[in-house]
Structure formats: structure tokens, C-alpha cells
Amino acid sequence: MTKFVLKRLAHTVIVLLGVSVMVFFLIRYLPGDPLDVLFTQGSGDEVTAADDLAEGRRRFAEGIGMVGSLPSQYLNFLSEIVQGDLGTSIFRRIPVSTLIATTLPLTLQLAIAGQIVNILLSLPLGIVGALKQNSIWDRGGTAFALIGTAMPNFWQGIMLILIFAVWWPILPVSGVMDLGLSVEHITGIPIVDAFVTGNWPAFWSIIRHLILPAITLGASASLVRILRSSLLEVKHQDFMDAYRARGLRERSVTSHMMRNALPTTVVIFGIRLGAIIGGSVVVETVFAYQGMGWLLINAINQRDYPLIQGIVLTFTVFTVLANLLSDIVHGWLDPRVKVEAKT
Amino acid sequence: MIDTPLLEVNDLSVRFGSVAAVSSVSFTVRSGEVFGVVGESGAGKSATAKAIIGLLPQSARVEGSVRFRGEEIRGASDATLRKVRGAGIGYVFQDALTALDPVRKIGVQLIESLQIHKDVSRKEAAKVAEDLLGEVQIKDPARCMSSFPHQLSGGMRQRVVIAAALIADPALIIADEVTSALDVTVQRRVLDLLLKVCADRGAAVIMITHDLGVVAQTCDRVAVLYGGIVAEEADVFDLFDAPRHPYTKALLQSMPRIGEDVPFVPIPGSAIQVVGKLHSCPFAGRCSYATQECLVDVPPVTTEEDGRQYRCVHALEPVS
């Protein structure tokens, strides 16, 4: 087990290396340059001489390490990462790691809320679909999941805003909580901090702000079809009838069926979870939810190289860890799977 | 005879859509006997067995009567069926690999099966389960209890499946092709074991098989199924010595025997699937004795004095 985890962590390093190469070079080949944004003539109040501007630009570039060939810049970046330094945001002048530490909890909070919505919708739809296969409930649930999957997130978000904030204004549409409220910083996850400190006004405000983005993330009920098909696969196995033949109640038979369908469902859920953290980019932007995805979009617009790199690498780490975790849980839920044997 | 039959199957029919899997099958099983049900694939063996304990899918239409200890269980309530299943009739599944829950330990599954029917503590149930595993000749019952099905060999698994069917002490065991999935070398041992354990408890067995060898070695009486009807039912010795139904005879002739100089004769054609209502002898198309008469209707049941029954208008003369 330990060997398996270590091996997988070693794989993670390779993945991170590959992602770092891609993100480093790709963003630099994008048209636009952070220095262009910063050092444009006439951008300030006083008219700066072109020479001064060029000189300032040169010194600034030197200061943030944007000199020399791209490969040598990459190697510098790499050696800093190895030392645990993700660099400093060009525009915010704040260490990237600090920015990530403040926005990641918000993204996690949103991703988890979205998955709670997903599970709450998927469990009943998937189970009813499998138990009453081809019934109107089954077809309705499958259709619901297909529509949810086919609808783009941003459009879904905008529609929700239209309905619940414009036509029928009952829910807030942007931010993490109402203006003027704040929570003490303990874990960094606002909802947890508000709960722990008993800050109920903030707690309710956070929940209200979570509702629409969480629905947007989770309403695709992406688990319905996975759950349904893994339940159906188990449903037609001999041991289900063997249980009945021993006199088990249908309720117990169903619970054994669920237990058997669990490993597959959990694995796919885990694999999706990593993608969902990355997928929050769109939803956070639509709802001006100041998490990591929202920060990423801002960083890309400003060509804030270090910040983009840091966020993309963080997303990568989460995706890989989610995969690793789901493999471990799979081995734990299904005795036939030997975690050690897989690489 | 004041002998109350353990199981009475009367006029049982099973249809899947337009396909008639079983057409009007009747037989009785008495306490403690081994009753064989033999036939080719598609003859309706498994459908009959599953219909007895009500395990056919809902799409199947079942008609007729199944009485267990005099009580009608065909179409009975779930509560009645649950009581009969496991505690009255045990069912040993064909494929032991798929008949056990892969994600739960053997012990847990056995204990659960016992606790449904008997008010015993977990500890007592574990004791019974362990003893039973010993009885079905599993070498290290304690270890088996804490194993998962995939950790056992095929023969071991089949023993566990037998134990699971027997644990609540049923009076009748339905053994559905129990040995088909096993190696020939293991088949014999598992079969002997099953019969011995059942005999020890006085449980009757319905032995469903396509293997006449198994029938000859294990059964007291046997019903030969073809096309969803009982072609012939007789004492096993009578059946082998003097088949009355041409299908039985053809089946016996198609069985190769070591040491006999008689060439085995395959039955021409292939097994039929009955679509719609059966209106003729299902075997007529392959039977060398068939005449126009066979195509008019399903032949009626002829019962002889010794209880032997057959459905044929051209019954073979008993050889003396």
C-alpha cells in the first residue's frame, strides 16, 4: 500500500513536470505580455519619456526574472518551484502561494457544495432508474441527466441568475457573502469558520451565496448514469437471486446491490472530482465568486505568468490526488481489487 | 399410500412473451428422495426450478400450481415465499462464482442467511456456519469464514454455495446444474458431498442436470423434459432399462458408454423452442416414430400401474 502510494506520487511529479512545461511555454506564446500592460506610454498621468519607460521596463523585467532565453527562464522557474516558491504575482505584488491559499478554500467550498447537489440529485434518480428500469422515472431521470450534461455551465448559471435574481429576486448572485460581513480566519474555509465561531449571519449569507453556483455545478447530476448503469450491472447477477432464494427481504437485497455498485461509482466520482475543481473556473466567473478559478481568469487576462502557472499546477495536483484517492478507496471498497498490483 | 408429497407441481406453465418455456409440467417429490430433472438446454429445466421458488423475472408468465407441504406457493405473498425460500426450499445455483456476493465475506453471508430464518445470536449463527463448512469438507472453516469468494477455488466456492443453501435446514434442495461449472475431477466429489449432506438431514433433492450419467448415479426417480413438457417420468432403473418415450430412448442411445460396443446415435436435428401454444408433440419433428397423429395435439399423459408416466402415442413396448 505504502509502496503503491509512493509510486503514484512519483508519477505525480512527472505529470506536474509535463504540465509545468506546457503552461510555462504556452502562456508565453500567447499574444500580449504583462510588461506591455504595465509599461505602456501614456498609461500614467505624467508623460514619461520613451527612454525612461524602456529603462523601467528593463529593470522591472530583471526584477521578476523575465530576462534571457525562455528555456533558461523555465529552468529558473523550476528551481524556484523545487524550493517551494511559486513566485510573486506581477500585478498584485503578492506571493502566488498566498493568493492560492486565500482562494483555494473558496473553490473547495464551492466544489463540495456542487457535489452535494450532484449527489442529492443523482442518488434517488440513479437508484429509482435502476430499480424501475425503463419506467417513466427511469427515462425522466436519464433525460434530466442528459440535459444537465449537455447544457453549458455558464448558460445554466446565467439562466439561474435570470430566474432567481432578476425575475424573482430571492437569492444573491455574486460574491461569497453579503458586503459588510466578515468571518474570523481559522481554517480559511468561510463556511466552516463562520460555523465554528458561531457567526450565524455570515453563515446564512454564505449558504445563500452558495446556492446558485452549487446548483449550476451539480445540477448536471453527472452521477445518475454511472450509478444507474453500475446498479443495473449488479442487478442482473446471479447472487441477487441467490440472496432472494435464501429468503432475504427485497430491501436487504437492494442494499447489497448498492454496496456492490458503490466501488465503481466512487471511483468515477473521484476521477470527476479533480476535473470539477478545475471546472469551477466558469461558474466562479459567472457568479463573481472569488475563488481560484475566478483568480485564474483574471490572471490570464492580465498575462500574470507566475499566477497562472501557480494556479494551473495547483489544479493539476488536485486532479492527480483525486485520482489517487479514488484508487485507494476502490481497493478498500472492493476486495477483488488489489491496489498494490496496479500502477 | 398416505405419503404426503413434499412438493407437488401441477400443470405448471411458464411463458416468456410468446415463447413457451414450460408447458403443463406436473410431478411430485417425496420427502428424502432424489428426483432428477433431465433435458437438453432449453428444455425448461431451469425455468421449472425457478418457477417453483418464484424467482423468475416479472416478465415471465407463470400458471399452474406449486404446493410445498400442501401449501400453495405459486403466486403466494412475499412473506410466505420468504419463509419457504431458504428454510423450506434451498436453491444451489449453477455458477458458484456468481452466486456469492463478491464484496462480502463468506461468514457474513452465511450468518445472514441463517439469521433471517432462525432467532439465533450472531455468535451462535457463526458456530452453525463454521460447523456446516466443516461438514461440506472445507479444510479450514474459520479461515473460509473470513475469506472473500474470489479467494477460494471453484470447488470450495461450490461447497460454500451448498452450505449457504443448507444453513437454514430446508427440507428440499434444488440443485441447478451444480456441477456443470466444475472440473470433471471435482464434479464427482461435490455431487457425492451434496447428496450425503442432504441424506444426513433427510432433505429431498431435485437434481437438475443435462447429464444422464449424473442421473444414473444419484437419482431415485427422474423426469425427462423436452420442449417444456415432461416426456417421461419413471423410476431411474426402469427408465434406463426400458424407456417408453422415443425421446428417452434416443437420449440414452446418444450417450457414449465406455466398454460397450454399441455405437452411440446422435439425435437428428436440434432442440426446439416452442413459440406460442404447444399444439403437437414437441419431439415429433425429430422422432423416427412420428406420424400424423403426433401433430394433432400434445399427447395425453399415460400413467402405468407402477406410477410411470409418459406422453407419447407411440410408446415403446417394454422390453422384457
Side-chain angles (χ1 to χ4, degrees):
Chain A
M1 185 70 192
T2 325
K3 203 176 150 197
F4 166 75
V5 173
L6 288 176
K7 212 167 178 181
R8 283 291 293 264
L9 289 178
H11 285 200
T12 309
V13 174
I14 298 170
V15 172
L16 282 174
L17 208 62
V19 171
S20 73
V21 171
M22 279 171 58
V23 68
F24 185 92
F25 290 100
L26 285 178
I27 54 176
R28 277 166 180 76
Y29 282 115
L30 277 179
D33 181 315
L35 300 180
D36 288 345
V37 182
L38 274 175
F39 297 90
T40 306
Q41 218 159 10
S43 66
D45 288 337
E46 76 278 13
V47 182
T48 324
D51 283 354
D52 286 356
L53 209 59
E55 175 60 15
R57 178 178 175 142
R58 197 188 57 76
R59 262 187 283 157
F60 189 84
E62 221 162 61
I64 58 171
M66 277 183 63
V67 283
S69 68
L70 277 186
S72 75
Q73 283 185 38
Y74 174 73
L75 289 178
N76 276 339
F77 158 67
L78 209 58
S79 71
E80 277 170 11
I81 283 187
V82 171
Q83 292 162 35
D85 183 3
L86 286 172
T88 304
S89 160
I90 295 176
F91 289 88
R92 293 161 201 260
R93 309 308 306 155
I94 299 172
V96 169
S97 48
T98 311
L99 286 168
I100 290 177
T102 49
T103 52
L104 177 62
L106 290 172
T107 298
L108 285 180
Q109 172 179 299
L110 179 58
I112 291 169
Q115 285 324 291
I116 291 174
V117 173
N118 186 359
I119 291 170
L120 286 181
L121 281 172
S122 297
L123 274 186
L125 289 176
I127 291 169
V128 169
L131 290 183
K132 307 231 174 285
Q133 194 186 355
N134 296 331
S135 68
I136 184 152
W137 295 104
D138 179 24
R139 296 194 193 267
T142 309
F144 180 84
L146 278 176
I147 293 170
T149 312
M151 237 183 342
N153 265 346
F154 70 88
W155 187 80
Q156 216 174 322
I158 291 167
M159 285 301 117
L160 284 173
I161 291 174
L162 190 63
I163 296 168
F164 291 105
V166 179
W167 292 348
W168 189 29
I170 51 164
L171 286 168
V173 292
S174 76
V176 178
M177 63 184 112
D178 289 336
L179 289 173
L181 291 171
S182 67
V183 290
E184 213 179 311
H185 185 97
I186 297 172
T187 56
I189 302 175
I191 197 165
V192 176
D193 292 346
F195 185 80
V196 173
T197 55
N199 188 348
W200 302 119
F203 183 74
W204 288 118
S205 176
I206 292 167
I207 291 207
R208 279 164 51 79
H209 278 84
L210 265 177
I211 293 175
L212 291 185
I215 291 177
T216 311
L217 266 183
S220 62
S222 57
L223 276 178
V224 169
R225 282 176 308 147
I226 300 155
L227 185 63
R228 176 179 173 274
S229 61
S230 38
L231 281 170
L232 281 179
E233 197 182 308
V234 179
K235 187 184 177 184
H236 296 298
Q237 296 212 15
D238 273 358
F239 69 83
M240 299 300 291
D241 269 348
Y243 271 137
R244 291 188 188 102
R246 285 175 220 149
L248 258 76
R249 287 171 178 277
E250 205 50 43
R251 211 175 43 208
S252 315
V253 175
T254 306
S255 90
H256 293 321
M257 175 163 99
M258 310 256 259
R259 174 64 186 79
N260 270 275
L262 199 59
T264 323
T265 312
V266 168
V267 165
I268 297 186
F269 180 66
I271 290 170
R272 294 253 170 115
L273 199 60
I276 280 156
I277 292 173
S280 59
V281 171
V282 170
V283 175
E284 285 181 6
T285 307
V286 170
F287 289 95
Y289 202 87
Q290 295 165 7
M292 229 168 39
W294 171 84
L295 190 63
L296 178 64
I297 295 292
N298 277 301
I300 291 172
N301 287 338
Q302 296 177 315
R303 305 283 187 271
D304 195 338
Y305 296 159
L307 192 52
I308 299 173
Q309 286 156 192
I311 294 174
V312 170
L313 287 179
T314 309
F315 279 143
T316 312
V317 168
F318 268 91
T319 306
V320 175
L321 283 185
N323 283 345
L324 174 61
L325 196 69
S326 69
D327 275 355
I328 291 171
V329 173
H330 190 203
W332 175 58
L333 287 176
D334 190 337
R336 286 165 298 182
V337 176
K338 280 210 189 91
V339 177
E340 285 87 351
K342 295 199 323 186
T343 49
Chain B
M1 285 217 296
I2 336 158
D3 193 9
T4 4
L6 185 62
L7 182 80
E8 284 174 281
V9 176
N10 221 323
D11 216 9
L12 184 72
S13 299
V14 179
R15 315 181 129 270
F16 296 100
S18 63
V19 176
V22 178
S23 311
S24 182
V25 159
S26 305
F27 59 86
T28 57
V29 180
R30 290 186 282 269
S31 291
E33 78 171 338
V34 180
F35 185 81
V37 174
V38 68
E40 301 169 54
S41 333
K45 297 170 300 197
S46 276
T48 306
K50 292 229 163 93
I52 291 172
I53 50 166
L55 272 186
L56 287 169
Q58 294 201 326
S59 58
R61 284 227 318 277
V62 186
E63 278 160 25
S65 148
V66 178
R67 283 169 177 275
F68 180 70
R69 287 178 170 143
E71 190 188 359
E72 179 64 50
I73 55 170
R74 218 270 312 151
S77 70
D78 280 353
T80 313
L81 272 175
R82 275 204 305 272
K83 254 179 253 162
V84 172
R85 291 172 182 169
I89 304 176
Y91 199 104
V92 183
F93 277 77
Q94 172 169 1
D95 189 351
L97 179 60
T98 56
L100 293 166
D101 188 332
V103 302
R104 298 171 79 221
K105 289 182 176 164
I106 305 282
V108 181
Q109 298 189 43
L110 290 178
I111 291 167
E112 178 186 45
S113 306
L114 181 59
Q115 281 187 322
I116 297 163
H117 299 291
K118 300 234 158 76
D119 188 19
V120 289
S121 73
R122 219 187 144 71
K123 224 172 162 181
E124 288 165 321
K127 175 87 179 62
V128 174
E130 223 176 297
D131 289 349
L132 184 59
L133 287 178
E135 206 181 323
V136 294
Q137 290 169 15
I138 281 176
K139 290 211 181 63
D140 190 348
R143 202 171 131 212
C144 180
M145 292 277 285
S146 57
S147 300
F148 288 103
H150 72 277
Q151 294 166 325
L152 305 178
S153 69
M156 291 260 275
R157 268 199 296 261
Q158 192 55 273
R159 282 160 217 244
V160 171
V161 171
I162 291 172
L166 279 165
I167 194 157
D169 225 357
L172 173 67
I173 288 284
I174 299 176
D176 189 355
E177 299 268 13
V178 276
T179 55
S180 303
L182 295 176
D183 273 351
V184 184
T185 46
V186 189
Q187 278 183 7
R188 187 69 231 184
R189 258 182 290 159
V190 169
L191 212 53
D192 286 346
L193 185 73
L194 173 69
L195 293 172
K196 183 182 174 301
V197 184
C198 290
D200 289 350
R201 290 153 189 263
V205 180
I206 296 181
M207 183 73 71
I208 294 171
T209 181
H210 61 266
D211 187 341
L212 279 171
V214 168
V215 172
Q217 286 162 335
T218 60
C219 298
D220 300 317
R221 282 189 309 130
V222 56
V224 180
L225 257 57
Y226 185 83
I229 66 165
V230 177
E232 181 164 11
E233 185 204 315
D235 179 274
V236 73
F237 291 106
D238 296 343
L239 187 93
F240 276 80
D241 289 346
R244 302 299 300 274
H245 197 288
Y247 175 65
T248 315
K249 189 185 170 200
L251 206 57
L252 289 170
Q253 280 178 342
S254 69
M255 187 171 70
R257 294 177 218 220
I258 295 171
E260 279 182 33
D261 217 9
V262 196
F264 69 89
V265 190
I267 307 176
S270 54
I272 64 157
Q273 187 180 48
V274 182
V275 179
K277 201 170 157 34
L278 195 58
H279 281 302
S280 65
C281 171
F283 189 57
R286 301 167 77 186
C287 182
S288 48
Y289 300 86
T291 60
Q292 200 54 42
E293 202 184 340
C294 304
L295 301 171
V296 176
D297 200 0
V298 187
V301 179
T302 313
T303 309
E304 289 187 352
E305 273 173 27
D306 58 357
R308 162 188 281 226
Q309 297 186 327
Y310 49 84
R311 301 185 87 159
C312 182
V313 287
H314 301 293
L316 308 168
E317 284 310 305
V319 277
S320 48

